[in-house]
Amino acid sequence: MQYLMMLYAEEAGWNKMTKEEQQQGVAAYGAYTEALKKAGVLRSSNRLQPVSAATTVRVANGKPQVLDGPYVDSKEQIGGYYLIDVADLDAAISWAARCPGAGHGTVEVRPVWSMGG
Amino acid sequence: MKVGEGQARMGDEQARNTAEAVARRSYGKLIAFLAARTRDVAAAEDALSEAFAAALADWPVKGCPANPEAWLLTVARRRTIDVYRGRRRDEIASEEMRVMTDGLEAARRDAEIPDQRLALMFACAHPAIEASVRSPLILQTVLGLDAKKIASAFLTSPAAMSKRLVRAKDKIRQAGIPFCVPEREELGERLDTVLDAIYGAFAEGWTDGAGVDSVRRDLAEEAIFLCRVVTELLPGEPEALGLLALMLHADARRGARRTAQGEYVPLAEQDVELWDAETIAEAEELLRHASGMGSIGRFQLEGALQSAHVHRCRTGDSNWAEVVDLYDALMTVAGSPVIAINRALAIAELEGAGAALATLEEVARDARLAEYEPYWAARAELLARAGAHGEAREAYEMAIGLERDASVRGWLRKRQATLTSGQKS
């Protein structure tokens, strides 16, 4: 079953870290991604640019409405994702707990809708 | 503030304090007592929960009763009987219902509530109950922990955990799983499953090395408490003593597992002065007492290993031969990948990294190890010692990627870094 792990964190948090902490952070994510790959469960992953680069788009009554900024104005914003394919929710939760993002933010785990087979 | 209001407030608080105190010391006993008579754990939980609610409404007004446990039991019993009479006519044969209500009525004559927590634990750890839900079930029924707290500890969704607990309680009721301490012939084996369930809870609690996560620290303490209950109610069982000793040994070292800055400190580097000497002494006494009963088992062996490690750290005595012997015995009694890995690390001390890596190869065939951090950490250590720095580096990388605890990740990175800089460690 496929699960999307969405990483939420306070964006300002990264800049508040020391250079060494940032290096450790990068290394931790690197190791984590490698582990996912070696386990054969990683389908896709990406880091997103900050919300300052976000744009929201709506179409109401046929008219597009375009706004600068993220959809929800909250302290924690989505900063990246991992798409994994594992046996069940427990397995997905296990991987989410290992994600460095779970340590300084929140990881939301949601199953992907499967179409038939 | 009117005088009446102040009194009412005090009455409320006193009622709440008394209710909480009763819950802390008697929840498990009350549940066990109710469930043993009806075989219906869920109904017992509901009935007792309503009794506590009734207490919080009644005691501020009428004052706290002299025997709060008996008061709660009376209300819970009455509620259970009402539920059965009202709703379950179609489900239960009238004969069965009569037996149940008779049991509840008769119990009122008992002066003191008998402690049937052991019977409840044996029911929860019955072979017919799915293995992975036995620990959670015991934690919820005997200790009253809620599904959310248990789910976090076992890394499962709370909704999923709730469902499994409901299913397990249904099974106890529908399959007629008995509430009793098994007969002598069966006792050893059945006790193993109870101890396993308790140890499972401890192991989950133990993943919080520094004891900063209150959910996990509590879980380890709860497991120790449950084991104490077992040893008190079954004093002649060496494996129960062994398990208690094992957990106390591990718990005694809690203060040394992290530096003041929160960094991970492995056993070999811990400051023994930070260990709780009294707890260690208690553990040692338990192991002595158990060995006198002449029936060695898995938990006594694990306890003996803890004892050997403590001895070595305190005295510097390099007792690795004894440690390997204990691991060999443990492998025959209760072999598992975890034990094989720890055995390999001990063999490294005795015969060198090469021999240890060879034994690790045999373990590696278990597919589960691909995602098991301790396997990769052990492999990395041994490869580093054998001089295979490239492979060691990769193994450390895997271990880091699989490790949940940021402070352990930090320690692994430090070890990994000593490789890159060319320093041998």
Side-chain angles (χ1 to χ4, degrees), chain A residues 24 27 31-32 35 38-39 89-90 93-95 97-98 100, chain B residues 155-157 164 371-372 397-398 400-404 409 413:
Chain A
Q24 279 180 23
Y32 178 66
K38 287 231 173 76
L89 179 59
D90 278 1
I93 292 174
S94 186
W95 279 108
R98 291 165 174 151
Chain B
L155 274 192
T156 314
S157 98
R164 288 163 62 210
E371 293 182 22
Y372 191 54
E397 196 71 2
M398 273 304 284
I400 292 166
L402 293 170
E403 177 54 57
R404 261 190 345 239
R409 283 202 294 257
R413 268 202 8 127

Side-chain angles (χ1 to χ4, degrees), chain A residues 5 41 47 57 62 99:
Chain A
M5 297 193 295
V41 304
R47 185 180 170 196
V57 178
C99 179

